[in-house]
Amino acid sequence: MDLGLAGRVIVVTGGSSGIGQATIGLLLAEGAQVATCARDGERLQRVWNGHQAHLHLAACDVRDVSGVDDFIHATAERFGRIDAVVANAGEGTLSTFGEATPERWLADLEGKVLGAVHPVRAALPWLRRSDAGRVVLISGLISREPEPTLVTASAARAALANLARSMATELADDEVLVNTVSLGIIDTPRQRVIHASSGSTASYEEWAADWARRRGVPLARMGRPDEVAPVIALLASPLASYVSGADVTVAGGAGRSVH
Ligand code: NDP
């Protein structure tokens, strides 16, 4: 199946690790040109050393409006177009309502909502000009099913889901299609950080299998980034031309809400 990505220019935020990295690898293999950013520019360069011919790299925090504007501007200057934005950058944040400080609330709303808004807003003139403008917002199952230890992240993801509906409706006038991907537990470096801070004496593999069971994942394991990337690539591609305002769950069967 040809996704029609050859020659397309796709922005993927947070491309130095995990899901962003896997998605960029797939997009490049499909012939797309990609621009990506992360806060740690040195790690980004290390990860993508040798791929710069079709890849624009920038050290940029998605919460920083002018940094994001510069990143998008440089992408358009270099490649001459932008067809899709995948808002993926983000980090896991554990907190109950009782523990969450005002700073924690602000950080999650900035990171998980405005961190998606800024790159899409900056790229909007280019997306409108494309004949296959796409926005893919990476979110979590927690937007519908909040986790007790992820209260601020869950609320921020719910706001993003709501925003995605508004964007899908408004941008349909310009044929820019907007969808979210709601993830369950995906085995990326952030899970190792959670394991390290969990106090568990089990190996990472034992802890991961147990956590998937405790979170009620029917497939009884975490997902892999390479199992998420094809879903993102399809939604970012010209082939997905009649899907907008949808939320695609990639969670190994987890998620009990009917919506
Ligand atoms: P990783 O930690 O493996 O990768 C995150 C990437 O985003 C890195 O490249 C990181 O680089 C970058 N990043 C983080 N914060 C910022 C920022 N403020 N500005 C720019 N870049 C940033 O995470 P995953 O691949 O697991 O997660 C990808 C997305 O999926 C995130 O939004 C996450 O919340 C979401 N998600 C993941 C789940 C999972 O189970 N893995 C579950 C639900 C949602 P750097 O640190 O250098 O900035």
Side-chain angles (χ1 to χ4, degrees):
M1 184 165 66
D2 180 8
L3 297 179
L5 284 165
R8 299 279 165 179
V9 175
I10 307 201
V11 172
V12 180
T13 62
S16 60
S17 173
I19 293 151
Q21 186 181 349
T23 301
I24 292 169
L26 181 58
L27 294 172
L28 291 175
E30 291 292 316
Q33 291 174 306
V34 180
T36 189
C37 70
R39 291 165 301 181
D40 183 345
E42 278 177 24
R43 176 166 71 145
L44 195 60
Q45 294 286 347
R46 238 185 357 262
V47 166
W48 291 109
N49 187 25
H51 289 81
Q52 281 91 333
H54 301 283
L55 191 54
H56 176 75
L57 304 175
C60 160
D61 187 324
V62 289
R63 296 166 297 186
D64 169 21
V65 180
S66 70
V68 170
D69 283 351
D70 290 348
F71 164 54
I72 296 295
H73 181 73
T75 300
E77 283 256 291
R78 173 161 172 197
F79 294 129
R81 60 192 288 168
I82 297 174
D83 298 288
V85 174
V86 178
N88 164 75
E91 49 193 356
T93 46
L94 292 171
S95 71
T96 61
F97 181 76
E99 286 164 353
T101 59
E103 291 75 23
R104 173 77 276 138
W105 277 107
L106 209 52
D108 264 338
L109 290 168
E110 277 197 324
K112 295 180 169 58
V113 182
L114 297 180
V117 167
H118 297 327
V120 176
R121 189 197 48 77
L124 199 50
W126 297 97
L127 297 176
R128 285 185 163 133
R129 223 172 287 172
S130 170
D131 61 350
R134 305 281 185 265
V135 173
V136 185
L137 304 170
I138 307 306
S139 186
L141 203 53
I142 58 173
S143 67
R144 304 196 296 272
E145 301 182 9
E147 280 288 324
T149 56
L150 297 168
V151 170
T152 55
S154 300
R157 291 306 191 191
L160 185 67
N162 186 289
L163 172 66
R165 299 297 309 199
S166 296
M167 287 167 69
T169 305
E170 183 176 326
L171 301 185
D173 287 346
D174 299 308
E175 295 205 29
V176 175
L177 312 188
V178 182
N179 295 289
T180 54
V181 174
S182 285
L183 303 174
I185 330 172
I186 310 301
D187 190 359
T188 65
R190 77 192 230 148
Q191 302 295 353
R192 289 180 187 271
V193 174
I194 296 173
H195 170 239
S197 61
S198 70
S200 167
T201 52
S203 70
Y204 175 72
E205 286 69 26
E206 289 163 349
W207 172 87
D210 183 53
W211 201 31
R213 263 193 305 274
R214 279 191 287 126
R215 292 274 298 267
V217 180
L219 288 182
R221 65 174 176 85
M222 289 188 185
R224 298 186 309 272
D226 65 32
E227 294 176 303
V228 180
V231 178
I232 299 174
L234 173 64
L235 291 173
S237 77
L239 199 64
S241 54
Y242 200 59
V243 185
S244 192
D247 177 48
V248 180
T249 301
V250 184
R256 296 184 54 77
S257 57
V258 178
H259 65 110

